[in-house]
Amino acid sequence: MIIDCHGHYTTAPTQLRDFRAKQLAGMIDPSLFPSIESLGITDDMLRASVEGAQLKFQRERGTDLTIFSPRAAGMAHQYGDERVARQWARVCNTLIYRLTQLYPENFAGACQLPQRPGVSPENCLQELEYCVNELGFVGCNLNPDPSGGWWKDPPLTDRYWYPLYEKLVELDVPAMIHVSSSCNDCFHATGAHYINADTTAVMQLIQGDLFKDFPTLRLIIPHGGGALPFHFGRYRGLALNLKRPSLEEHLFNNVFFDTCVYDQRGIDLLTDVIPLENLLFASEMVGAVKGIDPLTGHHFDDTRRYLDAVESLDQNARHMLFVGNARKVFPRLNNILDQRARSVA
């Protein structure tokens, strides 16, 4: 089995985009604000949206289950108010749930949170509990910068975030640290803002003592951890300068990284620098980089190919990367897989 820990619903029907436009228009003219019932996306539309995309690539690339969440850029927490954020998260999460029911062997859910800049993360607890306890989701996406490129909220190690961490620990689910769209022209969303956020999250965690207060909290830094693998010596040195323990002691019991790195040389470096116990297979397919690499003739985001080509990985290492680490970091995934195994038996 191969578990892809990082997938987004980037192929949703156009009705979802239209619903969002009505939401934002409704802030100016309340008569335009839509009801959830007006969404109008049928099961057939959902099937059509993934059959030629995510499911097609799963079959072609030999992966099995994707931990699936709403489109990251679509979260756009910087727009709207709290009412809009709550409704938008519920609509997007419900679509993910419906897909997990239509394709239980292919998708497990991770939820969008109704975050807003400057609004306590405590505002997200109800939706998180609902998605985990009622919909069976196994994780969530946590945006460290709901302002969309202006970084107005406190660092991830600040007590501001503690209500959310307490709930994550209580529910025993991890959070993937993932920003959304950028409204700052200085930062291209997927090329700069995403990677900036990954790197920023790593440095914030080095500077703080979050895991002394939450020793069982699990966070995933996507896209290979931003600059960390390439500048590992820099961060080791900064940790020493700040009188922090080694990175292995300070972070690696709680922080994990995915393999959304779209080059063989990058994957080679990632698997050489980061402990294999801290790496989870991921592709973010149909995501930031959708094209075919002219140098290889294969899709950039076909990350399984890169890992298959790493000669230093033995059978045990490949099992950790492809399935074992995901089951450890997302323990609620075990219930889904165990139920599947019983139904087959």
Side-chain angles (χ1 to χ4, degrees):
M1 162 166 275
I2 294 180
I3 299 170
D4 186 339
C5 81
H6 187 171
H8 298 297
Y9 191 21
T10 56
T11 58
T14 57
Q15 284 83 353
L16 183 63
R17 180 193 62 200
D18 296 341
F19 183 92
R20 180 62 163 171
K22 292 175 183 177
Q23 262 199 327
L24 299 180
M27 293 190 65
I28 300 171
D29 181 354
S31 68
L32 299 176
F33 197 82
S35 66
I36 291 180
E37 293 72 24
S38 70
L39 181 61
I41 295 179
T42 66
D43 285 353
D44 285 342
M45 291 176 183
L46 292 178
R47 292 188 183 95
S49 71
V50 295
E51 283 287 353
Q54 289 87 356
L55 294 180
K56 173 178 178 287
F57 289 133
Q58 278 187 354
R59 291 189 290 266
E60 290 178 353
R61 300 175 188 181
T63 62
D64 298 290
L65 177 74
T66 300
I67 297 176
F68 211 45
S69 64
R71 177 172 167 256
M75 296 188 298
H77 296 117
Q78 65 268 34
Y79 300 120
D81 54 19
E82 290 184 55
R83 178 192 180 196
V84 166
R86 286 194 299 272
Q87 188 192 52
W88 183 231
R90 180 59 58 91
V91 166
C92 293
N93 290 332
T94 299
L95 290 181
I96 298 297
Y97 171 70
R98 289 171 62 188
L99 284 166
T100 66
Q101 299 305 293
L102 291 171
Y103 300 98
E105 294 191 355
N106 299 95
F107 298 119
C111 67
Q112 172 179 326
L113 299 175
Q115 295 180 248
R116 287 284 300 136
V119 176
S120 170
E122 193 167 1
N123 195 52
C124 300
L125 304 187
Q126 182 177 2
E127 185 67 16
L128 177 61
E129 283 190 302
Y130 171 74
C131 287
V132 172
N133 291 333
E134 302 298 324
L135 305 186
F137 283 20
V138 299
C140 71
N141 291 333
L142 169 58
N143 187 349
D145 173 34
S147 69
W150 299 106
W151 291 93
K152 295 181 178 180
D153 283 359
L156 289 167
T157 52
D158 192 272
R159 298 189 70 85
Y160 173 84
W161 300 95
Y162 275 30
L164 180 57
Y165 297 151
E166 290 167 357
K167 186 57 65 176
L168 290 170
V169 168
E170 176 189 325
L171 295 172
D172 199 20
V173 294
M176 177 172 283
I177 305 301
H178 205 308
V179 289
S180 184
S181 56
S182 170
C183 58
N184 184 333
D185 290 339
C186 293
F187 303 122
H188 182 277
T190 56
H193 186 42
Y194 281 21
I195 309 304
N196 291 347
D198 304 331
T199 306
T200 298
V202 168
M203 192 63 217
Q204 288 178 359
L205 294 172
I206 291 173
Q207 290 176 275
D209 289 307
L210 177 63
F211 303 117
K212 287 185 178 179
D213 289 337
F214 296 98
T216 61
L217 178 66
R218 299 181 302 281
L219 302 177
I220 302 159
I221 310 295
H223 319 118
L228 178 66
F230 190 71
H231 288 288
F232 199 72
R234 174 180 291 262
Y235 294 107
R236 284 181 57 243
L238 287 169
L240 289 170
N241 292 345
L242 293 168
K243 304 294 189 278
R244 294 305 189 197
S246 69
L247 296 185
E248 290 80 2
E249 180 184 351
H250 193 45
L251 299 186
F252 287 175
N253 290 323
N254 305 86
V255 182
F256 302 86
F257 308 89
D258 75 17
T259 63
C260 290
V261 175
Y262 299 147
D263 179 82
Q264 186 66 56
R265 294 164 296 180
I267 288 288
D268 291 343
L269 176 69
L270 182 67
T271 55
D272 183 53
V273 172
I274 301 298
L276 295 180
E277 295 84 357
N278 291 81
L279 282 178
L280 283 71
F281 171 72
S283 69
E284 202 177 6
M285 61 184 177
V286 200
V289 184
K290 301 180 180 67
I292 293 176
D293 184 346
L295 299 179
T296 66
H298 296 277
H299 285 84
F300 281 99
D301 60 9
D302 186 359
T303 54
R304 181 184 173 182
R305 293 184 64 256
Y306 307 131
L307 288 164
D308 285 345
V310 180
E311 295 181 356
S312 62
L313 298 177
D314 60 21
Q315 185 175 357
N316 180 61
R318 294 179 190 280
H319 180 267
M320 285 195 298
L321 287 170
F322 286 130
V323 61
N325 292 343
R327 295 189 71 152
K328 175 180 68 175
V329 176
F330 294 88
R332 286 179 177 262
L333 191 58
N334 293 319
N335 294 331
I336 295 173
L337 297 178
D338 291 345
Q339 287 176 8
R340 179 193 298 183
R342 286 195 293 270
S343 65
V344 171

